[in-house]
Amino acid sequence: MTDTTKDRVLIFDTTLRDGEQSPGATMTHGEKLEIAQLLDEMGVDIIEAGFPIASEGDFAAVSEIAKRSQNSTICGLARANLKDIDRCWDAVKHAKSPRIHTFIGTSPLHRAIPNLTMDEMADRIHETVTHARNLCDNVQWSPMDATRTEWDYLKRVVGIAIKAGATTINIPDTVGYTAPVESADLIRRLIAEVDGAEDVVFATHCHNDLGMATANALAAVAGGARQIECTINGLGERAGNTALEEVVMALRVRGDIMPYTTGVDPTKIMNISRRVAAVSGFAVQFNKAIVGKNAFAHESGIHQDGMLKNAETFEIMRPEDVGLSATNLVMGKHSGRAALRAKLRDLGIELADNQLQDVFVRFKTLADRKKEVYDEDLVALVQDSGAAGDDHLQLKFLRVICGTEAPQSADLTLSVGGTDQQVTATGDGPVDAVFNAVTKLFPHHASLQLYQVHAVTEGTDAQATVSVRMEEDGKIATGQAADTDTVVASAKAYIMALNRLVIRRAKTGGDAKEVSYKDVV
Ligand code: KIV
Ligand code: ZN
């Protein structure tokens, strides 16, 4: 229930824009729709769904998210030119509540890129915000690199944007340079000194280069900001953005000194965190606040003793508050479909009947191979969506011979475009041998940018989740898979990434130009 004695802070999630644009975090169209739906369901006020002019794919994703949105405002990003803004409007206009977010870099370093004088840039801001406001009632404007912009100029351009009709003014700390005291002070002074400031919402957008993004965002709220821009798991370029889960839980746990509420249902945090980690290929670090594997683990003897007597000894929030049920042994090979559905529901995962059937079959196989099936195993099973019947490449058979003598070798049968093909290849280790075998049957020049293995639970029979990131002609595709056999999981993840590259090649014909929000034109 919303606490009416506290000020409401709007949560603006930019996982699908700032997060997704970080190198390697590319998501597919379907994954973007899924994450947007989870954000909408968890009570995020504004979803920045993408940068519509960047590519046909971005435009399609933002339009579809706008059409499907139920509760959240859907926002798209646009640089400070009329073409970007028109394209953005064409995508977000389908939403029940659309927003255009337009920006320009205002610091000396950023002004030098489009080579505009201060006056020319001020005119551009007036023209573009006016244009956006003529299309949409809800316009956000950002002076990129605000925290390194000269104070007088920042004050001047914020005033111009407000006069031109911006309804939200976002103050980005683009390079993660500011510190909490300064962050609060900057917002406080802008609100006090810019004409019309009382009629707009001030937002804070912090990057985490010095590890201060959450502290800076909360300080900005103390200074008067009423919108926090953030991402799930703090995903984002370089060191990432303010993490949604951190600000939401900090405001809840320390409501005594930070009397603000959000509309986010915190019990949905764990589920969306796992989904974002899986689809972006960016695993969450074990000791990450709120959503890390160890965030609620109490392993030392002293801690366990205290916890048994009173959980509050070492816990300032309960695992259930963020949607985490204690790790427990769930089910065995005799458990039925109804029990599986109920358990998944407990974990915040709702599946359609056909999806449940698929997961159930794989659960039975896993239960046959693994002594104990834990919650984490089930989550990995759901996230490993398995191969689709129409995938170009499908794994049919794999046997690896490894030992102390190199090279290792892999016998592989792969269905390539519907025809089974067999090959043997060697490599420096079993995974290398498998990847070489796949490449022999499906020659490609994509480079492997990331290969990561995580044990889902403890024990030698634990499932491994493998994430793979590949790059081909500037296009990036990721693949994830889980299996009790690390080499099989590696093969499936590698094949999944290649399947996605095949789809991307077909869609773009290999020559579509994607622009970045940093291309200032
Ligand atoms: O970090 C930044 O400045 C941005 C802007 C586009 C708002 O992401
Ligand atoms: Zn940013």
Side-chain angles (χ1 to χ4, degrees), residues 14 17-19 48 144 170 172-175 205-207 229 236-238 240-241 517:
T14 184
R17 199 279 298 167
D18 213 327
E48 189 163 50
M144 184 161 76
N170 176 39
D173 183 29
T174 305
V175 290
H205 175 111
C206 302
H207 281 265
E229 307 210 352
E237 219 163 336
R238 307 187 310 278
N241 291 63
Y517 75 96

Side-chain angles (χ1 to χ4, degrees), residues 87-305:
R87 189 77 175 144
C88 179
W89 174 240
D90 279 344
V92 297
K93 69 182 178 196
H94 308 287
K96 288 180 185 150
S97 167
R99 173 182 293 190
I100 296 173
H101 176 192
T102 180
F103 76 99
I104 195 161
T106 52
S107 66
L109 283 166
H110 283 271
R111 286 199 305 267
I113 302 171
N115 200 13
L116 295 176
T117 65
M118 283 179 159
D119 287 344
E120 284 166 346
M121 183 168 282
D123 289 346
R124 173 82 77 92
I125 293 163
H126 184 266
E127 181 198 12
T128 49
V129 175
T130 305
H131 183 68
R133 188 56 206 267
N134 284 336
L135 297 169
C136 182
D137 284 347
N138 190 339
V139 172
Q140 171 166 328
W141 180 74
S142 298
M144 184 161 76
D145 206 14
T147 54
R148 293 192 301 169
T149 299
E150 305 90 325
W151 164 250
D152 286 338
Y153 191 58
L154 183 64
K155 205 171 114 177
R156 176 178 166 201
V157 288
V158 166
I160 289 170
I162 293 176
K163 274 208 190 73
T167 44
T168 299
I169 298 291
N170 176 39
I171 302 299
D173 183 29
T174 305
V175 290
Y177 175 72
T178 199
V181 173
E182 195 179 65
S183 178
D185 197 48
L186 186 59
I187 301 283
R188 198 174 287 123
R189 285 183 73 194
L190 284 168
I191 293 175
E193 296 184 33
V194 176
D195 282 348
E198 61 288 355
D199 301 327
V200 301
V201 171
F202 274 80
T204 176
H205 175 111
C206 302
H207 281 265
N208 203 30
D209 299 65
L210 291 172
M212 293 193 280
T214 297
N216 287 336
L218 294 172
V221 170
R226 287 295 175 269
Q227 175 179 301
I228 297 178
E229 307 210 352
C230 46
T231 59
I232 302 293
N233 299 340
L235 192 68
E237 219 163 336
R238 307 187 310 278
N241 291 63
T242 301
L244 178 146
E245 63 276 9
E246 292 177 12
V247 287
V248 166
M249 290 313 290
L251 292 179
R252 281 181 76 90
V253 174
R254 296 310 312 273
D256 54 332
I257 53 163
M258 294 184 283
Y260 313 101
T261 57
T262 74
V264 170
D265 173 357
T267 64
K268 308 256 192 234
I269 284 177
M270 265 334 283
N271 185 36
I272 193 165
S273 161
R274 287 172 176 145
R275 286 307 293 148
V276 167
V279 302
S280 66
F282 278 61
V284 175
Q285 82 192 49
F286 281 13
N287 58 340
K288 163 84 180 63
I290 318 294
V291 292
K293 196 170 154 59
N294 290 356
F296 292 94
H298 300 273
E299 281 199 18
S300 83
I302 295 175
H303 280 212
Q304 280 182 353
D305 187 46

Side-chain angles (χ1 to χ4, degrees), residues 310-352:
N310 180 356
E312 281 181 24
T313 320
F314 287 104
E315 259 180 20
I316 54 169
M317 42 194 167
R318 293 168 310 156
E320 309 86 88
D321 296 345
V322 297
L324 187 71
S325 54
T327 298
N328 52 357
L329 185 60
V330 280
M331 301 190 306
K333 57 182 169 187
H334 301 298
S335 309
R337 212 174 274 103
L340 178 65
R341 189 193 284 283
K343 186 68 212 176
L344 290 173
R345 248 187 214 139
D346 246 24
L347 294 169
I349 303 168
E350 198 68 54
L351 295 181

